């Protein structure tokens, strides 16, 4: 466990453990947000091949800048694994491997979803929504069950492992949340919930209370497979909160740098560059560690975002 927890629920389990456990919704939330945004873009003819290709290029520029930065840091800090061999560096840049950090698997998933967004948009628009959602939930449980069995039979065959990993990440919870985001947009669920909340005083407290109650239920059930379903009320609840101008500005700023924050933050805390991690761990307490991790990631993200915007403008 990283850091020194201050609040313990019992002799063995700190509160921060369950906060971290619930944060497993981060990748599903990215998928849900992507699906929601892509559906809105589809309604405005924003999913043409040209626009999808440009969207992929913009993301890849961000991704390649992160790969370049991390590779340089690996050389500076004499890392054995980063950049490693020229092929190791190239395979990470080409999304053939995520040996730099396991969380980069989402880059591959995102690009595939962008390229398939028009086809998926058409399915959501033309097919029976209830039938599709039932099939999505069914495939989620089937894929999760298969992932408990298949890897043990293919572990000695690197190519099969490589193929299965990509199939697993494209389907299951990721596909459920991506298409779920599209359905939330199609059915205007956020607007409908907001109308229901209009006549309720302190609606923010109601939303937060419901999310807290659902979190407690999940913790009591202690079934990690169910966490993906928590993504939906969190996404809807957050978008239904009444936010003041200052809070909205902070959220927009975090959104602006979120891609880079995701790409660079594991290199601070995962001891890939022990010199950096050692200094960071001096903060000791989880809240300080999490806060400083976000601040460090944004500081690194700032120049990268400026460079990527400049490059994108040049190739327009």
């Amino acid at each position: 466990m990283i850091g020194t927890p201050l609040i313990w629920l019992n002799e063995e389990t700190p509160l921060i453990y369950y906060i971290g456990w619930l944060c497993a919704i981060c990748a599903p939330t990215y998928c849900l947000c992507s699906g929601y945004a892509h559906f809105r873009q589809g309604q405005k003819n924003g999913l043409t091949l040209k626009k999808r290709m440009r969207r992929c290029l913009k993301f890849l520029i961000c991704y390649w800048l992160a790969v370049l930065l991390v590779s340089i840091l690996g050389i500076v800090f004499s890392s054995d694994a980063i950049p490693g061999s020229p092929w190791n560096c190239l395979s990470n840049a080409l999304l053939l491997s995520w040996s730099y950090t396991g969380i980069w698997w989402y880059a591959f998933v995102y690009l595939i979803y962008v390229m398939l967004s028009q086809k998926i948009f058409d399915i959501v628009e033309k097919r029976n929504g209830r039938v599709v959602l039932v099939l999505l939930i069914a495939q989620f449980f089937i894929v999760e069950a298969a992932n408990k069995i298949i890897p043990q039979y293919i572990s000695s065959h690197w190519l099969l492992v490589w193929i299965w990993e990509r199939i697993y990440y494209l389907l299951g919870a990721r596909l459920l949340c991506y298409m779920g985001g599209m359905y939330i947009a199609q059915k205007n669920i956020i607007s409908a919930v907001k109308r229901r909340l209009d006549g309720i005083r302190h609606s923010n407290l109601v939303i937060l209370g419901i999310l807290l109650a659902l979190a407690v239920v999940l913790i009591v059930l202690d079934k990690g497979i169910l966490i993906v379903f928590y993504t939906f009320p969190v996404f809807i609840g957050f978008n239904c909160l009444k936010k003041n101008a200052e809070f909205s500005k902070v959220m927009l700023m975090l959104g602006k740098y979120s891609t880079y924050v995701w790409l660079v933050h594991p290199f601070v805390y995962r001891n890939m560059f022990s010199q950096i991690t050692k200094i960071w761990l001096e903060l000791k307490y989880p809240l300080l560690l999490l806060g400083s991790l976000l601040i460090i990631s944004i500081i690194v993200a700032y120049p990268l975002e400026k460079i990527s915007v400049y490059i994108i403008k040049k190739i327009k």
Side-chain angles (χ1 to χ4, degrees):
M1 182 180 294
I2 296 175
T4 305
L6 291 174
I7 303 173
W8 293 78
L9 300 179
N10 55 49
E11 292 183 357
E12 298 179 351
T13 310
L15 176 63
I16 197 69
Y17 167 80
Y18 286 113
I19 294 174
W21 188 70
L22 290 168
C23 284
I25 68 169
C26 59
T29 301
Y30 265 109
C31 293
L32 199 156
C33 291
S34 297
Y36 185 93
H38 289 167
F39 188 87
R40 292 301 186 203
Q41 290 160 355
Q43 290 178 312
K44 301 175 183 177
N45 197 34
L47 297 179
T48 63
L49 179 60
K50 181 179 179 181
K51 290 179 178 179
R52 282 178 281 148
M53 293 293 289
R54 180 164 179 78
R55 202 164 287 129
C56 288
L57 180 60
K58 288 173 68 175
F59 174 79
L60 282 170
I61 288 170
C62 298
Y63 179 77
W64 286 331
L65 285 172
V67 172
L68 177 61
L69 172 64
V70 172
S71 298
I72 292 171
L73 287 174
I75 295 170
V76 170
F77 291 108
S78 303
S79 170
D80 294 329
I82 302 174
S85 67
W87 169 246
N88 186 55
C89 180
L90 184 62
S91 63
N92 277 273
L94 296 177
L95 305 174
L96 297 173
S97 169
W98 41 73
S99 63
Y100 275 21
T101 172
I103 71 166
W104 280 5
W105 62 265
Y106 184 72
F108 164 79
V109 171
Y110 175 75
L111 290 173
I112 297 296
Y113 282 164
V114 170
M115 293 308 299
L116 293 177
S117 56
Q118 180 63 62
K119 295 293 184 184
I120 300 175
F121 175 85
D122 291 340
I123 292 172
V124 171
E125 280 285 78
K126 297 175 183 178
R127 304 297 180 185
N128 186 303
R130 292 181 180 179
V131 172
V132 174
L133 285 173
V134 168
L135 292 174
L136 283 170
I137 294 171
Q139 68 83 35
F140 162 65
F141 285 108
I142 291 169
V143 169
E144 290 299 320
N147 196 50
K148 301 287 187 183
I149 300 169
I150 291 176
Q152 60 186 312
Y153 290 105
I154 63 173
S155 59
S156 59
H157 304 279
W158 71 268
L159 182 57
L160 293 178
V161 171
W162 188 90
I163 293 171
W164 172 250
E165 283 181 342
R166 280 141 188 83
I167 292 173
Y168 172 72
Y169 283 125
L170 277 172
L171 302 176
R174 279 64 55 186
L175 184 60
L176 171 61
C177 290
Y178 180 78
M179 293 188 69
M182 284 199 167
Y183 278 111
I184 289 172
Q186 185 203 41
K187 303 299 183 184
N188 291 310
I189 290 174
I190 291 172
S191 296
V193 174
K194 281 184 175 180
R195 286 195 296 271
R196 290 289 186 91
L197 292 170
D198 276 346
I200 300 176
R201 291 185 63 188
H202 309 300
S203 59
N204 282 3
L205 291 178
V206 172
I207 293 169
L208 295 174
I210 291 171
L211 294 179
L212 179 60
L214 291 173
V216 171
V217 170
L218 276 175
I219 290 170
V220 171
L221 292 175
D222 196 23
K223 298 291 183 182
I225 195 172
L226 298 177
I227 289 179
V228 64
F229 296 101
Y230 188 54
T231 307
F232 294 90
V234 169
F235 176 79
I236 295 168
F238 178 81
N239 282 284
C240 289
L241 288 173
K242 294 175 182 176
K243 311 171 187 73
N244 59 32
E246 290 73 20
F247 183 82
S248 296
K249 286 179 182 178
V250 171
M251 290 297 104
L252 287 171
M253 183 272 292
L254 292 176
K256 181 179 180 180
Y257 298 113
S258 61
T259 299
Y260 281 119
V261 170
W262 158 58
L263 288 169
V264 305
H265 82 274
F267 299 96
V268 176
Y269 76 87
R270 288 196 171 181
N271 210 36
M272 294 162 187
F273 307 123
S274 57
Q275 301 93 327
I276 296 175
T277 305
K278 185 177 180 181
I279 295 171
W280 177 69
L281 286 174
E282 290 296 321
L283 293 173
K284 192 175 180 182
Y285 298 107
L287 286 179
L288 292 177
L289 290 169
L290 290 171
S292 62
L293 178 61
L294 179 60
I295 292 169
I296 293 169
S297 299
I298 292 173
I299 290 171
V300 175
Y302 181 81
L304 292 177
E305 195 271 340
K306 294 294 183 184
I307 295 169
S308 65
V309 169
Y310 175 80
I311 294 172
I312 291 166
K313 285 181 179 178
K314 287 295 181 181
I315 61 177
K316 226 171 188 179

